[in-house]
Amino acid sequence: MSSGTASPHVVEDLLGVVRLLSDGSVVRGDESVLMPAGPFADVPGVQWKDVVYDATRGLKVRLYRPPLAASAQGKKLPVLVYFHGGGYCIGAYDQPMFHAACQRFAAELAAIVLSVQYRLAPEHRLPVAIEDGAAFISWLSHQAALEPWLAESADFRRMFVSGVSAGANLAHHVVVQIASGQTSLGPLRLAGYVLFSAFFGSVERMATESDPPAGVSLTVDTSDQLWRMALPVGATRDHPLANPFGPDSPSLEPMALPPALIVAPQVDVLYGHVLRYAKTLQEMGKAVELAEFKGQKHGFSVTQCGEAKVELIRILKRFVQQVK
């Protein structure tokens, strides 16, 4: 005999690993089935450790320092804040591909790298992840002189905010909050920011969405689904957190944005959005370097090795070194 109460049913199934049910509950599976097989080798000499930056929520940051940090003889190193990708719905700061990428950044750039954990949707819809990113910056402004590795090795006058995919979107919004005065840096200085394969959207389709390049790793359908699961319920892709140039988005023109390095792989349905972002900022007179990578897919900075990765590291290193 029926009780009259229907059982919850699946309303969103993200690649078989995140299922959103009709009652708002979320069932998570094993994300490792979506990750590149690797192997992701450790970089010799790079040290790392986890530190809690939000004790209430148990959020952590993984600190990396290169081999030369201990023997730098008082010379401080630039700081790269890094937000992982995953469409705001999957991914973690300690997953092997992000861990390996941050080790390499630390070694190749001779920098302190800070890989930040943040809460995921749909359990925690946007703007929660942005709030976590801003909370980390606030924590950092107070802990820079207290955490031993940072006090010994970090030059917080040369701090860069970066991220890949959704992490690049998060980095953009953290930079905007800093530039608009919503987030205080205290003694820190934001020298620049870097967006790898940025995850932006809009109701209007870009050409690379209407006619996707062959062989894309992120499809339009999956991108749309990620936005449905990450944005506030009922929001469209013109929401300010998806579309930086949407009808309700704050104008970036009056903001004193730091120099930006925008990395755009061409085999990506989001390529059009990334190009629009770089071009619009350039038209506003902002300092923007656009690095396009022919034949590379979304997120290649963490999923692939080879010549493109070597070139990416070279460009990133030059950017970090030339920005004062």
Side-chain angles (χ1 to χ4, degrees), residues 20-83:
L20 174 63
L21 305 186
S22 56
D23 64 356
S25 61
V26 177
V27 179
R28 288 188 174 268
D30 182 7
E31 289 186 21
S32 66
V33 300
L34 303 178
M35 303 302 161
F40 298 100
D42 286 334
V43 178
V46 174
Q47 297 176 300
W48 60 271
K49 66 177 179 179
D50 290 347
V51 175
V52 174
Y53 77 86
D54 185 333
T56 301
R57 298 179 176 88
L59 296 175
K60 299 176 181 179
V61 56
R62 181 161 289 184
L63 281 62
Y64 299 84
R65 64 177 181 177
L68 59 80
S71 59
Q73 298 180 341
K75 183 180 179 181
K76 298 294 183 76
L77 305 176
V79 176
L80 183 73
V81 175
Y82 184 84
F83 296 106

Side-chain angles (χ1 to χ4, degrees), residues 83 137 160-162 169-181 190 192-195 255-259 277:
F83 296 106
I137 296 296
F160 298 81
V161 172
S162 72
N169 178 289
L170 201 164
H172 158 80
H173 289 293
V174 167
V175 168
V176 168
Q177 289 203 3
I178 292 170
S180 64
L190 183 58
Y193 69 110
V194 184
L195 306 186
M255 295 185 188
L257 298 176
Y277 181 86

Side-chain angles (χ1 to χ4, degrees), residues 120-208:
L120 299 178
E123 298 95 328
H124 305 284
R125 288 179 177 265
L126 292 170
V128 168
I130 312 299
E131 293 167 355
D132 290 343
F136 171 73
I137 296 296
S138 179
W139 174 87
L140 193 60
S141 70
H142 292 93
Q143 292 295 316
L146 301 178
E147 158 54 44
W149 280 17
L150 300 180
E152 292 168 8
S153 305
D155 178 1
F156 281 103
R157 304 299 294 171
R158 291 187 293 155
M159 184 180 76
F160 298 81
V161 172
S162 72
V164 61
S165 192
N169 178 289
L170 201 164
H172 158 80
H173 289 293
V174 167
V175 168
V176 168
Q177 289 203 3
I178 292 170
S180 64
Q182 296 177 66
T183 298
S184 174
L185 287 180
L188 315 181
R189 172 179 171 266
L190 183 58
Y193 69 110
V194 184
L195 306 186
F196 303 100
S197 303
F199 183 52
F200 293 125
S202 65
V203 170
E204 178 188 2
R205 293 296 190 192
M206 298 290 107
T208 49

Side-chain angles (χ1 to χ4, degrees), residues 204-275:
E204 178 188 2
R205 293 296 190 192
M206 298 290 107
T208 49
E209 293 175 304
S210 301
D211 184 18
V216 296
S217 56
L218 173 69
T219 66
V220 174
D221 286 346
T222 299
S223 176
D224 288 354
Q225 184 181 27
L226 288 165
W227 282 124
R228 287 196 307 270
M229 295 174 71
L231 288 169
V233 174
T236 73
R237 294 188 304 276
D238 274 340
H239 189 285
L241 295 178
N243 184 359
F245 311 112
D248 299 319
S249 301
S251 173
L252 302 180
E253 192 158 13
M255 295 185 188
L257 298 176
L261 171 62
I262 312 300
V263 177
Q266 293 184 353
V267 186
D268 187 356
V269 297
L270 302 181
Y271 177 58
H273 286 289
V274 176
L275 290 188

